[in-house]
Amino acid sequence: MSFSLAHALTGLFWLGALLLLGGLARRASLWQQGHSASVSWLGLLAMPKRYFVDIHHVVAREPAVARAHVAAAGGGVAILLLSALNYGLMLYQGWLDVLLVLMAAVMLLGARMMQARRLQAPPRLSQGRWQVLPARLRLFALGSLLAAGLLFAGPQMGMAGQLIAVAALLMLALGGAELALGIGLGWPMKHAVAGLLHLAFHPRAERFAGKSSDLKPLNLAAGELGVAKVEDFAWNRLLSFDACVQCGKCEAACPAYAAGQPLNPKKLIQDMVAAQSRGTDPAYAGNPHPGREAAVVVKPGEDIVGSVLAAETLWSCTTCRACVENCPMLIEHVDTVVNLRRHVTLSRGEVPGKGSEALANLRNTDTVGGYPLAVRYHWAIDLDLPVLQPGDQTEWLLLAGEGAFDMRYQRALRALVKVLKAAGVKVAVLGAAERDCGDVARRLGDEAGFQRLAKANIATLAQYRFDRIVTPDPHVFHCLANEYPAFGGQFEVWHHSKLLEHLLARRAIPLKADATPLPPLTFHDPCYLGRYNDGFNAPRNVLKGIGIKVVDMQRSGRDARCCGWGGGAAFTDIPGQRRIPDMRMDDIRETGTGRVAVACPNCTAMLEGVVGERADVIELAELVAERLA
Amino acid sequence: MKIAVLVSPAVHPVSGRPCAGEADLAALALAQRLPGELQVWYAGAADDAALADYLARGAGTIHSLNLSPDSDVLSALGSALQGVDMVLCGARSGGGDGSGLLPYQLAEQLGAALLPDVLDLSKSDRQWRAVQALPKGVRRTLQASLPLVASVNPRAATAPGWSYARLQQGKIRRKAATGAALAPVVLEPSRRARALVAASKVSGHARMQGAIAGGDAKAAGVVVKQGDSVEKAQVVLDYLRQHQLVDF
């Protein structure tokens, strides 16, 4: 009897392996719709590190789920490996059966924890097949446990043993189907295979070597104009969509989703899956884009935007990277949003709201607001700020950015210059030679406009000699520091929070000596300083350095909510139920401090634009200037 | 039906860079709605970059008549547009002297009807019906038969959005042309309209009194209360004859 059960297990194992391979081949044919990408096969070797270190960093933020997954997935993989040895290779060793029983117990425990979580599933989790997956995995674990136990216990079980054997085989077949067929039919266990391959062939592999948040340039000369159809994605990008586990952490973090704008990042990725699988996968069973139907009609051969995805969904994104930060499968949502936007902007010219006006202003005046370049430094007319002429030399080059045209932000800029002068920093500006950095153009999909501005700025900056650039605008900072190198612009760029931190640490800023304690305030992290560049500590250290206690909001630092400006969202202005800055102001009110420090001209404008009772919005440099001796 | 749209670069009010003119864009967009074979024409000395906005907004191919900056575009355009049924252009250019005279001169040269400041064009029977924009939102319907020249109001229609792909696909076909030398433009301050001054400062009531009250006043009229209607009419007629207001 035991002899025949062992052979049945061998048969079942190889049947499952064949089905899995067949399914993988089918799925790979879908990925092959995409164009080629330069990937390193060494990624396969790096996969374990990426799995156990990089993914762990994200997953460990939810420890209970992480533990459940370690047990279920670890147990499952161990079962598969042991079965491959013992039954696949027909070793039929008793001690391997003992190990199998142990691992099956671990997996059973993990699946049990997963199932318990599903009883009170948070709304961000998808239902459908995902809801029943833990039960199926339990069945598989139990089947393994019974089969291995039976084989170890030997033939003395008699009639009961035969019944148990049949039951175990049934359980293994039912539960194992989930594993074997998942990748081929687009069932939940697709994530295990696609997820591991995604780690190996990640479209942004450099993120495993350090921070990587820059957008990649299009080769315009080669006719690249963004993604119109599934075929315009790289194959490993299509693979990355299949890695999604529909956990909805992106959905929970997305400011546009919370505001009721028609964007759910999880659904966006699933829309891409529907487009590449031509609707053959099981129907999506999660929350839709707010205010939209969940069902999509896939029309093969048609553009993605306008068929499976509405343009408003695309334009709701603030590119705040909260989704990317939270994704346990390391999917890069923002890359996909911008790639799709590039097609809509570059090919169709359909940028909604004031977006097209902003792009026209950038083309015609090199500023977002359509201002004359000569007035950018009018606020500094009495500050004796040197304006560099070609060939001139300075230690620090200050780039004020678009905030220089905003009368509110000019106060902050004046405060910054005052502080830098008090600290004896040699700083100069470009005057009328400074153009927009191209951030808005690039995030609105106008890659051609961005590249024109980037190249022009790099050529301009080459005419001057300076040690470092300092800017109070995180968008300018991110563009120059991370996105200009692709065009040959290598600059050392500091955000002003870092410079102020540096000066305070060296006691270079003369501060008032009086001991009157300052009231605490809260700090709003700019996305392009924080999540994009890990600049979480510098602004907090500055506030600490001038003796102000920071009461952090519940969503701060890595989890900070966007102000709603980024990615040109303030220009496209897609309507929702609420406005994102209003929600952020609620977060600020919750701290009860009545004051919020900001470190970005755009956050300043968005938060000051909140109507009704609101907290005071004060720029970091203004707070330091207040404390000057 | 052959339709020609005339475009020329405007000067951006802030940066002074060449860009598309609003009215010319509206003419392009209006022409794209009409059935017929569309050609886009430019005459002058602008370079490719100055015409880029029109390509990016859907002009397709621009036929350029290369002229020196100091020559009149009228005769070159006139001969190039022979045989065209409908010519659309902006009501006035956003660059140059922007006098808005070209459509009038061109209509004269082509012997075509002119529909000025058009918001919409539609066909009715054999005629073309145009909605004309007048000040203060007043609209008027004009009709003309082909060939016609229409100058288009900037608010007539919106051209497709600016697209890099359309710019890349767009072509500018250049052809050398000659034109008469432009008469030098003489700039002079516009004269302020003089306020109207009343001939006399007497009130309206007093003047009426003077006209009807008999008696000593020199200009006093006659109040006829006696006689039948023929006699009263005779008095009026005599008055009019005396003042040479009728000649019978």
Side-chain angles (χ1 to χ4, degrees), chain A residues 182-194:
Chain A
I183 183 73
L185 300 181
W187 291 356
M189 283 313 292
K190 173 185 78 174
H191 85 269
V193 182

Side-chain angles (χ1 to χ4, degrees), chain A residues 346-349 363-364 366 448, chain B residues 15 17 161-166:
Chain A
L346 294 174
S347 286
R348 303 190 199 170
R363 272 195 305 277
N364 291 323
D366 291 340
Chain B
S15 64
R17 291 185 204 166
W162 200 98
S163 142
Y164 178 78
R166 280 195 280 267

Side-chain angles (χ1 to χ4, degrees), chain B residues 2-6 37-39 41 81 84 86-89:
Chain B
K2 276 188 184 168
I3 306 174
V5 177
L6 311 186
E37 181 199 332
L38 177 64
Q39 282 192 339
W41 286 88
L81 297 177
V84 170
M86 190 185 285
V87 179
L88 299 184
C89 60

Side-chain angles (χ1 to χ4, degrees), chain A residues 449-467:
Chain A
F450 167 76
Q451 292 193 6
R452 178 185 71 81
L453 285 165
K455 286 170 188 164
N457 279 328
I458 289 168
T460 303
L461 289 170
Q463 299 172 4
Y464 308 92
R465 287 176 299 141
F466 51 85
D467 298 341

Side-chain angles (χ1 to χ4, degrees), chain A residues 335-416:
Chain A
D335 286 353
T336 297
V337 166
V338 173
N339 270 331
L340 289 165
R341 280 186 183 182
R342 283 169 170 174
H343 163 69
V344 177
T345 303
L346 294 174
S347 286
R348 303 190 199 170
E350 293 169 1
V351 185
K354 294 277 178 189
S356 52
E357 198 180 307
L359 293 180
N361 283 339
L362 282 169
R363 272 195 305 277
N364 291 323
T365 69
D366 291 340
T367 67
V368 177
Y371 301 102
L373 288 174
V375 311
R376 195 189 292 270
Y377 286 96
H378 275 188
W379 53 269
I381 200 121
D382 59 339
L383 293 179
D384 197 21
L385 202 54
V387 176
L388 289 189
Q389 302 304 318
D392 284 1
Q393 200 269 336
T394 183
E395 264 173 43
W396 289 90
L397 176 65
L398 171 67
L399 296 183
E402 184 78 9
F405 300 115
D406 177 36
M407 288 180 77
R408 159 68 185 91
Y409 201 71
Q410 287 169 3
R411 295 211 307 271
L413 289 167
R414 287 180 65 87
L416 176 63

